[in-house]
Amino acid sequence: MTAPVRFPRFFVTSPAPCPYLPGRSERKVFTELKGAHSDALNDALGRIGFRRSQTVAYRPSCLDCSACVSVRVVADEFAPSQTQKRNARRNGDLVASLCRPWSTAEQFELLQRYLGARHPGGGMATMDEVDYADMVEHTPVTSYVIEYREPSTDGVTPGRLVGACLTDKQGDGLSMIYSFYEPELTARAGLGNYIILDHIRRASEMGLPYVYLGYWVEGSARMQYKVRYRPMERLGRSGWERISAEEQDRLISGAANARREVAPVPEGCGKDGVPGGQDQYRLV
């Protein structure tokens, strides 16, 4: 006989400023991931819109707003646009390595440059090396850090690290927890998008149907890049549904016309729903 799986206990955070829509507040429901069944629990929760942050799985539970929508790319049906094809060619010489979830000083220095340029007002900007190590290493599930390096100049020494992504391997796909990259490399424009393209390729090769991109918020300029990957599914009240080609055309057009704003993120919040710390999940 096998021991029954303990049903998780769920908790709710206190309201905090919304990181996506001005003037609104956010609230999250969360549970702890621990023990031998953490992977199975993370898989099950991921299918109903939860995300992982260290040893916690969370999802929005706002009282008066449902703008945050979980989205995923259908990997084996992915049809790249001409822009995405050019991006893949431009960055195709990068050397990607699947690494165990172990933080390095090189990764942390890259993260600092990225946050300083792209998210200067967020709570993550105050992270030190210990905080970064906690983000990467405190994982109870199957996780990797995928590093992206320029080609070696001598064939021996690893090339310069220009991108990285903390990624969970779930039963039905890859979940991109947090990605960051060299922000000022004009010769390699679109590094963030290239990292997503590489995850779609990896998932397809691994026989995993989806790449989970986290939450998408219509009206939030810094979230619009997510709608550019076809085909895409979103989580609604009746479960996952395919976004129609016509609607995705409209959303992509809106994203292309929107001016990207680099606005300060409310204290304690990071991009893509990743918090700047675990204090909000502390049980008192």
Side-chain angles (χ1 to χ4, degrees):
M1 294 180 61
T2 59
V5 177
R6 179 184 64 84
F7 189 80
R9 297 174 64 197
F10 290 91
F11 306 90
V12 178
T13 65
S14 299
C18 176
Y20 306 126
L21 301 176
R24 301 194 191 183
S25 62
E26 70 165 357
R27 195 181 68 162
K28 297 173 184 169
V29 61
F30 68 96
T31 189
E32 188 177 10
L33 296 170
K34 64 179 181 180
H37 301 286
S38 293
D39 268 314
L41 178 58
N42 193 47
D43 284 357
L45 293 175
R47 291 186 178 96
I48 56 173
F50 278 74
R51 297 281 286 166
R52 184 182 69 82
S53 177
Q54 297 184 32
T55 58
V56 164
Y58 69 91
R59 65 169 293 172
S61 182
C62 303
L63 293 173
D64 56 355
C65 181
S66 56
C68 291
V69 178
S70 296
V71 292
R72 64 189 186 185
V73 184
V74 184
D76 58 355
E77 297 180 41
F78 174 64
S81 66
Q82 291 302 315
T83 299
Q84 289 163 344
K85 290 178 180 179
R86 288 193 295 269
N87 187 324
R89 289 194 295 269
R90 180 169 60 246
N91 294 297
D93 63 329
L94 292 178
V95 179
S97 301
L98 203 70
C99 308
R100 62 176 181 163
W102 190 257
S103 64
T104 68
E106 189 179 21
Q107 292 170 8
F108 177 65
E109 290 167 3
L110 176 61
L111 174 67
Q112 285 186 306
R113 293 193 296 274
Y114 171 80
L115 292 173
R118 296 301 178 92
H119 304 281
M124 291 184 71
T126 62
M127 289 176 67
D128 59 22
E129 288 187 83
V130 174
D131 296 326
Y132 175 66
D134 287 344
M135 184 178 85
V136 172
E137 298 172 15
H138 285 188
T139 171
V141 302
T142 303
S143 302
Y144 318 104
V145 174
I146 303 179
E147 292 187 339
Y148 297 85
R149 295 181 178 274
E150 292 186 327
S152 171
T153 57
D154 59 11
V156 178
T157 307
R160 176 173 58 156
L161 181 69
V162 297
C165 186
L166 176 62
T167 302
D168 287 354
K169 180 181 179 295
Q170 298 181 179
D172 65 346
L174 298 177
S175 179
M176 298 180 65
I177 302 300
Y178 196 86
S179 62
F180 52 97
Y181 48 88
E182 196 65 66
E184 304 298 341
L185 270 183
T186 55
R188 291 193 179 277
L191 270 175
N193 288 309
Y194 178 76
I195 292 173
I196 296 175
L197 294 173
D198 181 66
H199 276 70
I200 295 171
R201 177 190 62 79
R202 286 176 181 274
S204 182
E205 291 178 354
M206 296 168 71
L208 298 173
Y210 304 112
V211 172
Y212 287 84
L213 298 183
Y215 302 117
W216 168 73
V217 181
E218 188 169 8
S220 174
R222 62 193 181 91
M223 301 288 281
Q224 298 313 301
Y225 70 92
K226 296 184 181 184
V227 300
R228 297 189 177 107
Y229 299 89
R230 301 174 182 263
M232 175 165 284
E233 295 182 352
R234 63 185 167 198
L235 183 60
R237 293 184 179 274
S238 301
W240 290 95
E241 60 180 13
R242 182 77 59 99
I243 300 177
S244 70
E246 293 76 18
E247 183 178 2
Q248 199 157 1
D249 284 342
R250 177 183 65 80
L251 294 173
I252 292 172
S253 177
N257 293 330
R259 181 174 61 89
R260 182 176 176 84
E261 299 177 358
V262 182
V265 181
E267 183 68 24
C269 297
K271 70 155 190 171
D272 297 344
V274 178
Q278 296 296 98
D279 287 346
Q280 64 181 315
Y281 302 123
R282 185 167 295 164
L283 301 178
V284 184

